């Protein structure tokens, strides 16, 4: 049964070595729910649609940075059950364009201290990340990115094939189809535990007195005089002063309810994991030419991300031939993968913009803000995105991180062009 | 796997020999059009959760572009038709209506006016205010 919600903040009970010792003494009978599964009230100052990483981070930083805790986070399914639970958990900030580097590097810096900040172990693992160059085009592109990153203050460097091989001994660098010509190496990049990021933010939001309402699907947006008044949900009408739409693949659907259209197309992106094996690769490797991303989870599974399907899709599952395509390409570079059994395969619906950069923006409707368009690379951006979105919602105008990501950039031709410049992989 | 029948060569083509081309029936704005129209044509998309009209190319077949009506949730294909069609033909509309009685078309967004004689739809959705988009 869900606990009744209370408008007052719960007394935070910290996780620590002493808490573990205390619970060990009493047979772990005292652990409590990490966050309250709230019943919605009729009115909040801010309603955030979407209890994934981005929505929860938005709520968290609204409370932490701006003192706004009269917040509800609405989720049509279960917390973190969308793309937050469906990605390959890669974290990096080696982008080409300055606005991208700024927000993704802010995000990476927040990830570095997130476990301490939230008092929740998100298992951030800065194990290093290599983006492989397997064509001459990529060699030139990544060398350029390394220089751009240097100017942005983001520590990355170009490494030669021998160093790639030293860092990833299981890799075959000789081809023949796609030989490894080098790589863009970001030592601070890595992975984190995706569910824990959502759970950690949810716990912190709950402790601040915010309501996280699951199984609450938004069915309509009530607008009067060009300004949002309320959202109609499957659990009743909820009034709000401000509304933040943070729903990734369903951004177009919710935007349509609010009466405006986004430069977004929803497509399926899929991933798969192998059976667990002994530690064999302690670096994240992205092979963008062949659309394959590979890392080894702490459980030992090889986590493989593939390419997108390309056509509009809301099904949360990917096409079979893309699995085949991804694996076929990866086993040339990682021959040992051919002996592994695959355990699971899944898909998520990603929201792609025309320039493959996100949208953090006010909208034609007063009090309504959108945070979407993170496409294939949203997980790494969760803390930075929430930070920037909270500022946008609280002040009504974007701060320095979000300023360039307004949706008017498409009319103005001010693209943040990562799809052409840095490869489609995020 | 998606299977679409190419309306030109008649081959029931699997997804692997096709290339998706995004939303169909966009009004192609060019020089002299307003910034809002141009943005609308280049970037804004309906991206519906449900019936979607879209472009496909029979890449590893006859190489031609054609159009398809498909549901983005169930991946059901209602039919394919030539790329030269200004509106979806009657049989496609009938196929959609048969399975989706609640479906409402949006021809005025496609053409800027209603499409007389197509599926007998004189009252399509209102066009959202374009000026307010930017």
């Amino acid at each position: 049964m869900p606990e009744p919600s209370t408008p007052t903040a719960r007394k935070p009970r910290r996780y620590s070595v002493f808490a573990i010792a205390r619970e060990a003494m009493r047979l772990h009978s005292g652990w409590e729910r990490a966050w309250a599964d709230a019943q919605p009230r009729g009115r909040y100052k801010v309603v955030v649609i979407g209890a994934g990483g981005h929505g929860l981070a938005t709520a968290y930083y609204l409370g932490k940075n701006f003192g706004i805790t009269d917040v509800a986070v609405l989720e049509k399914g279960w917390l973190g059950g969308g793309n937050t639970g469906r990605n390959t958990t890669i974290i990096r900030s080696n982008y080409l364009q300055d606005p991208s580097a700024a927000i993704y590097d802010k995000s990476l810096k927040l990830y570095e201290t997130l476990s301490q900040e939230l008092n929740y172990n998100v298992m951030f693992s800065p194990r290093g990340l290599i983006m492989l160059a397997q064509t001459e085009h990529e060699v030139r592109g990544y060398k350029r990115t390394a220089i751009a990153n240097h100017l942005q203050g983001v520590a990355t460097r170009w490494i030669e094939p021998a160093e790639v091989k030293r860092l990833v001994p299981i890799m075959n660098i000789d081809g023949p189809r796609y030989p490894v010509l080098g790589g863009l190496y970001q030592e601070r990049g890595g992975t984190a535990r995706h569910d824990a990021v959502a759970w950690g933010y949810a716990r912190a939001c709950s402790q601040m007195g915010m309501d996280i309402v699951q199984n609450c699907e938004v069915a309509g947006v009530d607008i009067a005089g060009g300004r949002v008044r309320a959202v109609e949900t499957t659990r009743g009408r909820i009034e709000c002063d401000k509304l933040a739409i943070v729903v990734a693949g369903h951004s177009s659907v919710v935007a349509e309810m609010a009466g405006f259209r986004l430069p977004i197309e929803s497509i399926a992106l899929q991933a798969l994991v192998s059976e667990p094996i002994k530690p064999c690769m302690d670096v994240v490797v992205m092979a963008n030419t062949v659309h394959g991303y590979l890392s080894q989870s702490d459980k030992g599974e090889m986590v493989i991300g593939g390419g997108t399907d390309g056509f509009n899709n809301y099904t949360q599952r990917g096409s079979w031939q893309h699995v085949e395509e991804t694996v076929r390409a990866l086993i040339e570079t990682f021959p040992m993968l051919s002996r592994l059994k695959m355990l699971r395969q899944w898909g998520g619906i990603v929201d792609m913009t025309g320039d493959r950069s996100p949208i953090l923006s006010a909208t034609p409707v007063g009090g309504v803000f959108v945070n979407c368009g993170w496409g294939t690379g949203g997980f790494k951006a969760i803390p930075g995105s929430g930070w920037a979105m909270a500022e946008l919602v609280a002040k009504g105008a974007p701060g320095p991180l979000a300023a360039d990501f307004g949706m008017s950039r498409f009319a103005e031709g001010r693209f943040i062009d990562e799809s052409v410049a840095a490869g489609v992989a995020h | 796997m998606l299977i679409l029948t190419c309306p030109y060569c008649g081959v029931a083509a699997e997804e692997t020999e096709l290339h998706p081309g995004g939303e169909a029936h966009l009004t192609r704005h060019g020089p002299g059009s307003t910034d809002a129209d141009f943005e609308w044509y280049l970037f804004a998309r309906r991206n519906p959760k449900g019936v979607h009209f879209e472009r496909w190319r029979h890449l590893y077949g006859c190489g031609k572009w054609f159009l398809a009506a498909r549901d983005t949730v169930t991946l059901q294909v209602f039919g394919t038709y030539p790329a030269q069609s200004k509106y979806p033909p009657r049989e496609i509309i009938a196929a959609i209506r048969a399975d989706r009685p609640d479906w409402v078309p949006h021809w005025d967004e496609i053409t800027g006016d209603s499409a007389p004689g197509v599926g007998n739809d004189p009252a399509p959705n209102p066009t959202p205010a374009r000026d307010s988009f930017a």
Side-chain angles (χ1 to χ4, degrees):
Chain A
M1 285 295 289
E3 295 171 10
S5 76
T6 54
T8 53
R10 295 191 307 147
K11 184 169 174 286
R13 189 169 292 183
R14 289 184 63 78
Y15 294 146
S16 68
V17 65
F18 304 109
I20 293 172
R22 186 181 66 230
E23 291 304 326
M25 302 289 278
R26 53 179 179 184
L27 302 175
H28 295 282
S29 59
W31 296 115
E32 57 186 11
R33 290 185 66 110
W35 70 90
D37 186 17
Q39 305 288 337
R41 284 184 279 127
R43 175 167 183 81
Y44 294 89
K45 189 168 182 189
V46 178
V47 164
V48 179
I49 308 177
H54 290 260
L56 291 164
T58 299
Y60 173 74
Y61 292 112
L62 271 174
K64 179 169 182 269
N65 294 353
F66 298 97
I68 301 171
T69 57
D70 186 14
V71 176
V73 187
L74 310 182
E75 170 56 48
K76 74 169 177 177
W78 67 96
L79 187 144
N83 293 350
T84 303
R86 293 166 187 271
N87 59 80
T88 51
T89 76
I90 295 173
I91 296 169
R92 63 185 178 90
S93 63
N94 53 352
Y95 282 73
L96 179 66
Q97 307 292 349
D98 291 350
S100 311
I103 195 164
Y104 287 107
D105 206 52
K106 173 71 180 175
S107 200
L108 177 53
K109 284 175 181 152
L110 290 168
Y111 262 125
E112 284 169 344
T113 55
L114 195 61
S115 293
Q116 292 77 14
E117 159 130 17
L118 297 177
N119 181 231
Y120 201 97
N121 187 3
V122 300
M123 297 166 72
F124 176 62
S125 165
R127 59 185 67 180
L129 176 142
I130 303 172
M131 293 172 86
L132 293 184
Q134 294 178 292
T135 63
E136 287 297 333
H137 174 82
E138 278 183 309
V139 171
R140 286 194 292 272
Y142 289 150
K143 284 183 174 172
R144 180 186 174 203
T145 304
I147 294 165
N149 288 161
H150 185 68
L151 294 171
Q152 291 153 350
V154 177
T156 66
R157 63 191 164 93
W158 170 259
I159 57 175
E160 297 295 333
E163 189 167 359
V164 175
K165 178 73 180 174
R166 186 182 65 76
L167 288 165
V168 192
I170 63 169
M171 194 186 295
N172 165 33
I173 63 170
D174 298 326
R177 193 162 62 122
Y178 292 114
V180 174
L181 305 173
L184 179 66
Y185 184 38
Q186 184 174 24
E187 289 176 64
R188 290 164 58 223
T191 62
R193 170 96 168 91
H194 48 19
D195 292 326
V197 173
W199 297 338
Y201 275 122
R203 176 167 167 266
C205 289
S206 196
Q207 285 176 351
M208 284 192 280
M210 298 177 183
D211 282 350
I212 298 161
V213 188
Q214 301 181 98
N215 298 312
C216 180
E217 183 169 2
V218 171
V221 180
D222 183 4
I223 296 160
R227 215 186 144 75
V228 64
R229 280 204 312 194
V231 287
E232 306 289 347
T233 78
T234 51
R235 296 180 70 173
R237 178 184 163 87
I238 302 171
E239 292 182 2
C240 60
D241 294 338
K242 291 179 177 176
L243 179 67
I245 301 172
V246 196
V247 295
H250 281 69
S251 296
S252 298
V253 177
V254 181
E256 172 122 18
M257 293 175 196
F260 59 93
R261 188 165 294 181
L262 291 168
I264 294 270
E265 288 190 278
S266 298
I267 58 177
L269 175 67
Q270 62 185 321
L272 58 158
V273 295
S274 76
E275 59 191 334
I277 55 174
K278 287 187 177 178
C280 64
M281 193 178 85
D282 59 357
V283 184
V284 181
V285 178
M286 309 179 67
N288 294 339
T289 296
V290 297
H291 291 302
Y293 324 120
L294 190 65
S295 64
Q296 187 169 24
S297 75
D298 293 341
K299 284 184 286 184
E301 300 156 330
M302 302 306 285
V303 183
I304 302 171
T308 54
D309 276 359
F311 55 84
N312 292 49
N313 195 341
Y314 282 90
T315 59
Q316 290 192 323
R317 56 177 191 267
S319 298
W320 183 247
Q321 82 268 14
H322 284 284
V323 177
E324 192 184 352
E325 222 172 77
T326 299
V327 172
R328 189 172 57 207
L330 275 180
I331 58 175
E332 179 190 302
T333 309
F334 299 93
M336 53 97 73
L337 284 184
S338 67
R339 302 303 172 101
L340 293 182
K341 296 188 182 81
M342 293 299 148
L343 280 190
R344 294 189 302 280
Q345 174 261 1
W346 66 92
I349 301 305
V350 297
D351 41 342
M352 306 294 280
T353 57
D355 61 358
R356 300 298 186 261
S357 286
I359 295 171
L360 289 133
S361 185
T363 70
V365 183
V368 177
F369 303 88
V370 287
N371 179 355
C372 62
W374 293 95
T376 59
F379 177 74
K380 71 174 78 68
I382 284 173
S385 156
W387 182 284
M389 185 66 177
E391 185 170 8
L392 174 63
V393 173
K395 295 180 177 171
L401 283 179
D404 290 311
F405 292 103
M407 64 183 185
S408 64
R409 72 175 186 266
F410 294 96
E412 295 161 5
R414 232 174 0 87
F415 311 121
I416 303 166
D417 203 345
E418 292 290 352
S419 65
V420 177
V424 295
H426 279 236
Chain B
M1 184 176 285
L2 271 180
I3 297 176
L4 301 177
T5 303
C6 174
Y8 297 107
C9 62
V11 169
E14 292 187 353
E15 201 178 324
T16 45
E17 57 184 288
L18 298 166
H19 184 74
E23 187 174 335
H25 302 299
L26 294 172
T27 304
R28 195 185 179 96
H29 291 282
S33 55
T34 65
D35 284 357
D37 277 344
F38 208 51
E39 181 196 9
W40 203 255
Y41 160 53
L42 285 175
F43 297 107
R45 293 291 178 267
R46 293 184 62 246
N47 193 22
K49 188 176 182 178
V51 177
H52 189 232
F53 299 97
E54 57 194 12
R55 302 163 72 232
W56 285 86
R57 189 178 171 216
H58 194 186
L59 186 64
Y60 299 114
C62 66
K64 288 181 178 165
W65 285 97
F66 62 92
L67 307 182
R70 188 177 59 89
D71 191 305
T72 58
V73 180
T74 63
L75 304 191
Q76 179 183 359
V77 178
F78 299 106
T80 56
Y81 51 102
Q84 289 74 22
S85 315
K86 193 172 180 187
Y87 319 108
R90 284 172 188 281
E91 60 270 22
I92 301 282
I93 301 297
I96 298 169
R97 282 263 156 78
D99 282 337
R100 303 281 185 281
D102 297 334
W103 171 71
V104 183
H106 59 282
W107 308 135
D108 65 333
E109 291 181 21
I110 292 175
T111 63
D113 53 28
S114 61
V118 180
N120 299 319
D121 287 313
N125 280 344
T127 307
R130 294 184 180 192
D131 293 339
S132 66
F133 181 74

